[in-house]
Amino acid sequence: MEWLLAVLVLLGLGVFVLPRARLRYVLSQAFPLNYSKILRKNLPGYSRMPTDLQMQLKRRIRQFLYQKTFVGCGGLTITDEIRVTIAGKACLLLLNRESDVYPQLTHVLVYPSAFVAPRTQMNTGGVVTHTNQGLSGESWSDGRVILAWDQAAHNPENEARGQDVVLHEFAHQLDSETGSTNGAPDLKTAAAYKAWSQVMEREFSQLLHAIENDMPTIIDPYGATNPAEFFAVVTEAFFKKSQDLAHYHPALYTQLRNYYQVDPCDWI
Ligand SMILES: [Zn+2]
């Protein structure tokens, strides 16, 4: 029996200790020069970020690339540029925070361009409708994010609109870590949830009002779909239209700054 116990202990060590030792080894390696080049090319603002945030970002990217599997779909071959760009944008949302690197996420599926997702909806009369939607991104709570590379790459049109599908889908991932994707990520304290819900509800209503009255808004109208989409689009605005969001929606900006623990106005 003793030998059996010894085998079990060794197996336990293998399961729990080796992956952590391997991760420590991976994180201790130098960040490849071509990865830095990709970040400078595809992450606007990266070059202006404070050095400590750049260092944190590189460490998170290494962990992301070590732990997540990228799958090329629709004939796409996964390259370093695809992996590092997506990991870089995803890990922007983790800086300065006590958070693991998307613990529920296992796979990132990447299509060359908009992909078709079959949808089945049942109305109250029991009629089932099948639709085919062209999508640029999807986040699933079962451990998958799906992205269209032509939208996830550095895209001048999306840049001009302050939109970023990678930030959007990974905000959904953070939202779903609480067990329900409802627009409120893990905020740690009851006081933080209270302040968050007061500001988000008010801002959500203001967005609905602006849309109904054809008023201009810097927040993507898609955010009015529901609170989860609102959190995803204001996350995009926080990182891509920081100055405007801070100016026109200071209370919302403050909530996002408290949660994300960074102030992108410092480098955008
Ligand atoms: Zn969404």
Side-chain angles (χ1 to χ4, degrees):
M1 285 307 283
E2 278 177 11
W3 66 266
L4 183 61
L5 191 62
V7 168
L8 288 173
V9 167
L10 283 173
L11 280 175
L13 283 173
V15 169
F16 294 110
V17 177
L18 284 181
R20 268 185 271 166
R22 171 88 182 129
L23 177 61
R24 270 201 302 277
Y25 170 76
V26 166
L27 294 179
S28 71
Q29 298 301 294
F31 197 75
L33 282 177
N34 69 315
Y35 286 13
S36 295
K37 204 171 153 189
I38 293 164
L39 293 178
R40 285 196 295 276
K41 178 182 165 216
N42 288 349
L43 256 73
Y46 170 77
S47 302
R48 293 187 297 276
M49 282 171 72
T51 309
D52 72 307
L53 291 184
Q54 287 184 347
M55 302 288 283
Q56 277 190 51
L57 186 64
K58 289 176 182 177
R59 191 176 165 84
R60 297 285 199 177
I61 290 170
R62 274 207 162 284
Q63 185 169 349
F64 190 103
L65 295 179
Y66 171 63
Q67 292 178 327
K68 319 301 178 193
T69 303
F70 282 75
V71 181
C73 304
L76 184 73
T77 300
I78 296 294
T79 61
D80 278 350
E81 182 174 12
I82 293 173
R83 294 165 73 243
V84 174
T85 302
I86 291 172
K89 291 181 176 190
C91 293
L92 261 186
L93 308 187
L94 306 178
L95 299 174
N96 282 349
R97 300 204 298 114
E98 284 179 28
S99 157
D100 205 349
V101 177
Y102 301 101
Q104 295 167 356
L105 179 79
T106 57
H107 289 79
V108 180
L109 282 67
V110 191
Y111 285 84
S113 55
F115 52 94
V116 173
R119 288 283 178 274
T120 303
Q121 289 172 322
M122 188 181 291
N123 69 15
T124 48
V127 178
V128 177
T129 310
H130 301 277
T131 55
N132 282 329
Q133 300 177 325
L135 299 173
S136 56
E138 260 195 335
S139 169
W140 291 75
S141 52
D142 66 358
R144 287 177 296 154
V145 163
I146 312 173
L147 293 162
W149 173 237
D150 65 345
Q151 300 298 311
H154 181 52
N155 180 314
E157 276 179 33
N158 292 344
E159 204 60 40
R161 286 196 292 260
Q163 293 175 341
D164 193 304
V165 68
V166 184
L167 299 181
H168 183 107
E169 302 309 334
F170 280 90
H172 282 320
Q173 282 290 306
L174 294 176
D175 193 359
S176 66
E177 283 176 9
T178 58
S180 69
T181 312
N182 58 5
D186 184 4
L187 297 167
K188 310 291 183 205
T189 68
Y193 274 110
K194 190 175 173 199
W196 179 274
S197 64
Q198 280 173 349
V199 171
M200 292 295 159
E201 279 172 24
R202 191 173 65 234
E203 295 280 348
F204 186 80
S205 299
Q206 283 176 6
L207 180 61
L208 287 176
H209 177 77
I211 294 167
E212 283 163 9
N213 293 281
D214 277 333
M215 293 159 65
T217 168
I218 61 158
I219 298 175
D220 186 341
Y222 184 64
T225 307
N226 58 45
E229 296 304 340
F230 186 76
F231 172 56
V233 304
V234 296
T235 292
E236 292 177 77
F238 180 68
F239 284 97
K240 308 299 292 185
K241 292 189 265 191
S242 317
Q243 308 281 357
D244 283 347
L245 195 71
H247 182 73
Y248 292 106
H249 301 269
L252 175 60
Y253 191 85
T254 300
Q255 287 301 316
L256 292 166
R257 194 181 57 205
N258 290 344
Y259 173 63
Y260 283 118
Q261 292 289 301
V262 290
D263 188 345
C265 283
D266 289 345
W267 70 80
I268 296 297

